[in-house]
Amino acid sequence: MDMVNIKINGMSYEVAAGSTILEAAREAGIDIPTLCFLKDINQIGACRMCMVEVKGARSLVAACVYPVNEGMEVFTNTPKVQKSRKMTLEMLLSVHDKKCLSCKRSGTCELQKLCNDMGISDENRFEGAVPAGKKDYSTLHLERDNAKCILCRRCVAACQQQHVAVIGANNRGFDTEIGCAFEQPLSYVSCVSCGQCINACPTGALTEKDCTQDVIDAINDPDKIVIVQTAPAVRAA
Ligand code: FES
């Protein structure tokens, strides 16, 4: 295997050519926070949590997609890097339904953990939008609450990995939401209830449904399928 020599935080490492900075850092036991990254399944550089400094580069780079090369010098925890990660979290929180106390994922939510680790409270300086997003309670096995979705697309990748591929991004920009084509509920498409999207979700956007008899009755009666759509997002003037 071809190897290259790099430095991470001033320490020298020999790493496999073609690996990413994130892979090299993890191999060296150096932590770089991630959100959208799911090894071998979702490596799209979308969330920008993993930003690091590379000597000579004009801007921060996303470690999960940026390849190492000979002589590269990487810095994973400089003030500039910390500032970028904190701002990313604040911006995610500014459009996130911050009801952590009643959220099923509280305690196992990756977004919550990163905010705790970096000292980000739920009162932040970006008030550009309030959470919107559809809730889909239409299937027997899961609930989708897009007000808690961070658009990492890990669920989309997991669904594709299962060769089901019934979810993806709808709309564009501020209105982007993950869901089924034409915004149909999950119970109307060929979801096979594998639950891999729940495993892939880093937040409380996808959770297992508490399966009571009421839920089973509702699923068996299409007229009772419940799709709740929240009010449109409110944007700053
Ligand atoms: Fe690298 Fe999301 S983990 S951009």
Side-chain angles (χ1 to χ4, degrees), residues 34-37 45-50 62 64:
T34 58
L35 271 175
C36 68
F37 176 80
C47 74
R48 318 312 273 178
M49 267 312 296
C50 65
C64 68

Coordinates of all heavy atoms in Angstrom, one line a residue, residues 34-37 45-50 62 64, ligand 1:
T34 N -18.0 14.9 13.9 CA -18.7 14.8 12.6 C -20.2 14.7 12.9 O -20.6 14.4 14.0 CB -18.3 13.5 11.9 OG1 -18.5 12.4 12.7 CG2 -16.8 13.5 11.5
L35 N -21.0 15.0 11.9 CA -22.4 14.8 12.0 C -22.9 14.0 10.7 O -23.6 13.0 10.9 CB -23.1 16.1 12.1 CG -23.3 16.6 13.5 CD1 -24.0 18.0 13.5 CD2 -24.2 15.7 14.4
C36 N -22.7 14.5 9.5 CA -23.2 13.9 8.3 C -22.4 12.6 8.0 O -22.9 11.8 7.2 CB -23.3 14.9 7.2 SG -21.7 15.4 6.5
F37 N -21.2 12.5 8.4 CA -20.4 11.4 8.0 C -20.9 10.0 8.6 O -21.1 9.9 9.8 CB -18.9 11.6 8.5 CG -18.0 10.5 8.3 CD1 -17.4 10.4 7.0 CD2 -17.6 9.6 9.2 CE1 -16.5 9.4 6.7 CE2 -16.7 8.6 9.0 CZ -16.2 8.5 7.7
G45 N -19.6 15.5 2.9 CA -19.1 16.8 3.3 C -20.2 17.9 3.4 O -20.0 19.0 3.1
A46 N -21.4 17.5 3.9 CA -22.5 18.4 4.0 C -22.6 19.3 5.2 O -22.9 20.4 5.1 CB -23.8 17.6 3.8
C47 N -22.3 18.7 6.4 CA -22.6 19.5 7.6 C -21.5 20.5 8.0 O -21.8 21.4 8.7 CB -22.8 18.5 8.7 SG -21.3 17.7 9.4
R48 N -20.3 20.3 7.6 CA -19.2 21.2 7.9 C -18.7 21.1 9.4 O -18.1 22.1 9.8 CB -19.4 22.6 7.4 CG -20.1 22.7 6.1 CD -19.5 21.9 5.0 NE -18.3 22.5 4.3 CZ -17.7 21.9 3.3 NH1 -18.0 20.7 3.0 NH2 -16.6 22.5 2.8
M49 N -19.1 20.1 10.1 CA -18.7 20.0 11.5 C -17.2 19.6 11.6 O -16.5 19.9 12.5 CB -19.5 18.9 12.2 CG -20.7 19.4 13.0 SD -20.4 20.8 14.0 CE -19.2 20.2 15.2
C50 N -16.7 18.9 10.6 CA -15.4 18.3 10.6 C -14.3 19.3 10.1 O -13.2 18.8 9.8 CB -15.4 17.0 9.9 SG -15.6 17.2 8.1
A62 N -13.1 20.4 4.8 CA -13.9 19.3 5.5 C -13.1 18.0 5.5 O -12.8 17.4 4.5 CB -15.2 19.1 4.7
C64 N -13.7 15.1 6.4 CA -14.3 13.8 6.0 C -14.2 13.5 4.5 O -14.3 12.4 4.0 CB -15.7 13.7 6.4 SG -16.8 14.9 5.6
Ligands
FES1 FE1 -17.5 16.3 7.4 FE2 -20.2 16.5 7.8 S1 -18.8 15.3 8.8 S2 -18.9 17.7 6.5

